[in-house]
Amino acid sequence: MKVGDNYPETLLKKRDRFKIYICICLFWLPFLVTQTDAQCALNKKVFHAGEQISYDIYFKWGLLMPKAGQANFVIKRTPYEQHNSWNYNLIFRTNGIFEKIYKMRDTLECFFTPNHQLLFSSKRTTEGGRYMVENITFTNKGNKTQSHTHRYNLESTRIDTTIITDGCVYDMMAGVMFLRTIDWSNIQRGQEFATKVAIGRDIVNMSFRYVGQAIVERNENLKYRTRHFYIDIYDDAFTQSKEAAEVWIGDDDNHLPVKIKAKLKIGAAEVYYNSSSNLQYPLTSRIEIPKR
């Protein structure tokens, strides 16, 4: 297929939501642990400084499933405004046919205290030659979260707004630490959880439902033991809110997302675990079958 021929422009629409929800699907299930206050403290630390994780991202449209890009995550200890904090960094870049149609380079990061109080998140984006920054500052007071969003480009400010919301509110990446501290022994099949994420001027509602154990096959020689979840996302980027996405989490002490599938208005996004280094625990959910 020649690039640009018979390739609908609608595939490029809602690209910001597309990338945001890839991040959310990769690392969002914060209410799978008990939350009793705005601190939303961790139950168990499964990560450590120097950890790196890589994912391959695909876009499925009909019979086509081109590789859309790569996402690489790094975690480290980095002070933030005199706070003793952790830093989670993501770099996303398109490749293949998407690189020719609409080149994207994104850097996303968040800072949070050791007990997981989110302090600050930032998204720096270059798309089609245009540069955009979105910074969100989070302040927790009692059972309320104040999120101040400042979005701007080289010419002007696009968004400068503050939203005060009951309970915990996160950015697109901060939920990773909650996801990875799920206590499998306390989750019941069919159990549902609800949460909120700040995106621009909006607070987007989500809920999560545990399905059970499942095997994810990458090829005939590689499989992963996982825990399977459905995600309901109430946003117009999706054809349906119910079961808008699914995520499969590796069933070992690392709790890494292994596979993600998100249904979009045009096609679907699929994400697959590629590689990792400096993990806290052995990746025992990975099952390699010797070739005959």
Side-chain angles (χ1 to χ4, degrees):
M1 182 177 73
K2 183 179 178 181
V3 175
D5 290 349
N6 301 318
Y7 206 89
E9 293 184 4
T10 47
L11 291 179
L12 303 178
K13 293 181 179 180
K14 299 190 179 296
R15 56 184 178 273
D16 288 335
R17 289 293 210 241
F18 168 80
K19 291 180 295 176
I20 286 169
Y21 289 119
I22 288 300
C23 298
I24 291 170
C25 290
L26 277 172
F27 292 121
W28 256 100
L29 290 181
F31 276 67
L32 291 173
V33 296
T34 303
Q35 298 187 48
T36 57
D37 55 42
Q39 294 282 327
C40 304
L42 292 169
N43 286 342
K44 175 184 177 183
K45 184 170 77 70
V46 298
F47 55 89
H48 63 138
E51 180 181 280
Q52 301 185 42
I53 313 168
S54 176
Y55 289 89
D56 296 323
I57 301 174
Y58 297 84
F59 185 85
K60 189 173 184 180
W61 178 55
L63 298 177
L64 300 177
M65 191 171 169
K67 188 174 180 179
Q70 297 173 311
N72 297 292
F73 299 83
V74 178
I75 188 168
K76 56 187 177 182
R77 288 186 179 274
T78 304
Y80 174 76
E81 294 187 351
Q82 300 181 341
H83 289 279
N84 176 24
S85 66
W86 288 87
N87 170 254
Y88 215 100
N89 178 276
L90 173 152
I91 296 177
F92 172 85
R93 62 173 294 161
T94 51
N95 57 23
I97 191 170
F98 281 80
E99 183 78 351
K100 297 177 181 179
I101 294 175
Y102 201 89
K103 183 184 293 186
M104 291 181 281
R105 298 288 185 272
D106 292 357
T107 300
L108 303 92
E109 62 180 339
C110 63
F111 293 84
F112 48 92
T113 64
N115 71 343
H116 203 269
Q117 178 178 340
L118 184 58
L119 301 169
F120 176 80
S121 72
S122 177
K123 180 176 73 167
R124 300 181 296 279
T125 302
T126 301
E127 300 180 354
R130 296 179 299 174
Y131 181 69
M132 183 74 71
V133 176
E134 179 169 305
N135 296 328
I136 309 178
T137 303
F138 294 86
T139 304
N140 298 111
K141 295 182 179 180
N143 193 41
K144 294 184 181 295
T145 300
Q146 175 179 297
S147 54
H148 173 230
T149 299
H150 182 207
R151 180 185 296 175
Y152 61 93
N153 57 24
L154 297 177
E155 290 77 33
S156 63
T157 292
R158 309 300 294 274
I159 296 176
D160 189 352
T161 188
T162 298
I163 303 174
I164 299 177
T165 309
D166 290 335
C168 298
V169 178
Y170 302 92
D171 76 328
M172 66 190 74
M173 289 180 60
V176 56
M177 303 313 164
F178 283 113
L179 165 60
R180 298 182 61 189
T181 58
I182 296 171
D183 183 355
W184 297 144
S185 63
N186 293 331
I187 296 179
Q188 303 295 320
R189 184 174 296 179
Q191 190 171 354
E192 296 188 22
F193 310 86
T195 191
K196 304 170 186 176
V197 58
I199 303 175
R201 295 186 177 89
D202 302 323
I203 299 295
V204 175
N205 292 307
M206 300 183 183
S207 64
F208 308 91
R209 183 169 65 262
Y210 177 56
V211 181
Q213 295 175 303
I215 297 294
V216 170
E217 296 188 16
R218 287 297 286 127
N219 54 53
E220 60 182 7
N221 301 111
L222 180 59
K223 300 179 181 181
Y224 291 89
R225 294 180 295 103
T226 71
R227 301 287 182 131
H228 184 196
F229 298 86
Y230 280 122
I231 307 177
D232 301 331
I233 304 175
Y234 302 99
D235 186 80
D236 61 6
F238 293 86
T239 302
Q240 60 186 64
S241 295
K242 195 73 172 178
E243 300 179 6
E246 300 173 74
V247 59
W248 291 258
I249 312 299
D251 196 0
D252 59 36
D253 288 336
N254 295 292
H255 295 187
L256 295 182
V258 170
K259 176 184 176 181
I260 303 98
K261 183 176 181 180
K263 301 173 184 177
L264 305 175
K265 284 191 173 180
I266 301 294
E270 295 194 13
V271 180
Y272 292 92
Y273 168 82
N274 182 304
S275 62
S276 58
S277 61
N278 299 319
L279 296 179
Q280 180 91 328
Y281 303 101
L283 195 65
T284 56
S285 62
R286 181 184 174 100
I287 304 170
E288 293 191 53
I289 303 172
K291 296 181 179 180
R292 295 181 180 181

